[in-house]
């Protein structure tokens, strides 16, 4: 599979559906696909709140699936895998994807808080031959998912005075 003929927008639609699943489960709405030889070999979304584990990002959930499915061949599979994720991988995920030497990463919108491609920190600077990381794929649709999440109240976050005010405002708006 050549990345020059690869159409990330078509795959991003599926990743956005996974992000919607995250949103419906009160998780930060990030969806991810791992594509190997034009076949989706892993699908993931954030499960941080579900497992109360800050490392359960969509990308890491996909990595676990590939390792389980391909076992000893996983290293070779990663080298020919294209990653499509709705939000720029955080610094941790970007570093792991680069360490695995994936073929390419496409993402939707920038991650202004934790972006590891260039928004907050450019992890690629630590690698001799890093893969391409391309942003802006269906950017507005990915941003809309994040906006919808941050408009609401994260039921899994601690109750702070700011959260109480937000709940009161939402209740007043909704009557």
């Amino acid at each position: 599979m050549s990345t020059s003929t690869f159409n990330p927008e078509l795959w991003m639609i599926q990743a956005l559906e996974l992000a919607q699943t995250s949103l419906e489960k009160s998780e930060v709405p990030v969806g991810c696909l791992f594509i190997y030889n034009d076949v989706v070999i892993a699908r993931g979304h954030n499960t941080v709140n579900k497992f109360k584990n800050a490392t359960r990002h969509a990308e890491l959930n996909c990595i676990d699936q590939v390792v389980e499915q391909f076992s000893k061949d996983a290293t070779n599979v990663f080298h020919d895998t294209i990653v499509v994720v709705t939000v720029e991988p955080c610094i941790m995920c970007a570093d792991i994807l680069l360490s695995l030497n994936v073929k390419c990463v496409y993402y939707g919108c920038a991650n202004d808080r934790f972006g590891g491609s260039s928004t907050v920190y450019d992890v690629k600077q630590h690698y001799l031959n890093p893969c391409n990381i391309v942003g802006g794929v269906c950017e507005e649709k990915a941003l809309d998912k994040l906006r919808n999440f941050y408009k609401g109240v994260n039921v899994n976050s601690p109750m702070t005075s700011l959260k109480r005010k937000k709940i009161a405002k939402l209740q007043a708006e909704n009557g």
Side-chain angles (χ1 to χ4, degrees):
M1 170 174 50
S2 164
T3 53
S4 62
T5 60
F6 185 82
N7 186 341
E9 290 87 5
L10 294 176
W11 297 102
M12 187 62 75
I13 293 166
Q14 290 182 50
L16 287 163
E17 290 170 4
L18 292 165
Q20 182 63 34
T21 300
S22 279
L23 184 61
E24 290 167 2
K25 295 180 179 193
S26 298
E27 299 277 358
V28 176
V30 179
C32 184
L33 300 173
F34 277 33
I35 302 148
Y36 176 73
N37 292 332
D38 288 324
V39 175
V40 175
I41 58 170
R43 288 175 169 73
H45 61 83
N46 278 6
T47 56
V48 170
N49 294 328
K50 176 181 180 181
F51 294 110
K52 298 187 182 346
N53 181 334
T55 68
R56 298 316 318 156
H57 293 193
E59 299 93 331
L60 295 184
N61 289 331
C62 285
I63 290 167
D64 287 349
Q65 292 172 40
V66 172
V67 170
E68 184 177 323
Q69 183 178 355
F70 293 95
S71 201
K72 293 178 184 175
D73 283 342
T75 300
N76 294 325
V77 170
F78 284 125
H79 292 182
D80 288 321
T81 295
I82 295 175
V83 176
V84 176
V85 60
T86 58
V87 178
E88 175 186 7
C90 70
I91 295 166
M92 172 186 70
C93 290
D95 189 48
I96 292 168
L97 292 170
L98 291 167
S99 294
L100 292 171
N101 199 23
V102 297
K103 187 172 187 173
C104 187
V105 178
Y106 292 95
Y107 68 86
C109 62
N111 182 341
D112 293 338
R113 294 182 180 183
F114 308 107
S117 170
S118 63
T119 304
V120 174
Y121 187 75
D122 188 1
V123 175
K124 291 186 300 185
Q125 68 183 321
H126 298 287
Y127 290 85
L128 292 175
N129 296 305
C131 70
N132 284 334
I133 300 177
V134 180
V137 179
C138 302
E139 182 175 19
E140 279 304 311
K141 290 179 182 178
L143 271 171
D144 284 344
K145 298 281 184 215
L146 287 176
R147 285 183 191 120
N148 286 336
F149 177 78
Y150 287 110
K151 269 196 290 190
V153 175
N154 183 348
V155 296
N156 296 296
S157 67
M159 186 61 77
T160 62
S161 61
L162 182 60
K163 185 174 179 180
R164 283 187 195 94
K165 288 177 187 175
K166 194 173 192 177
I167 290 170
K169 181 181 176 188
L170 286 170
Q171 288 172 337
E173 290 172 357
N174 295 325

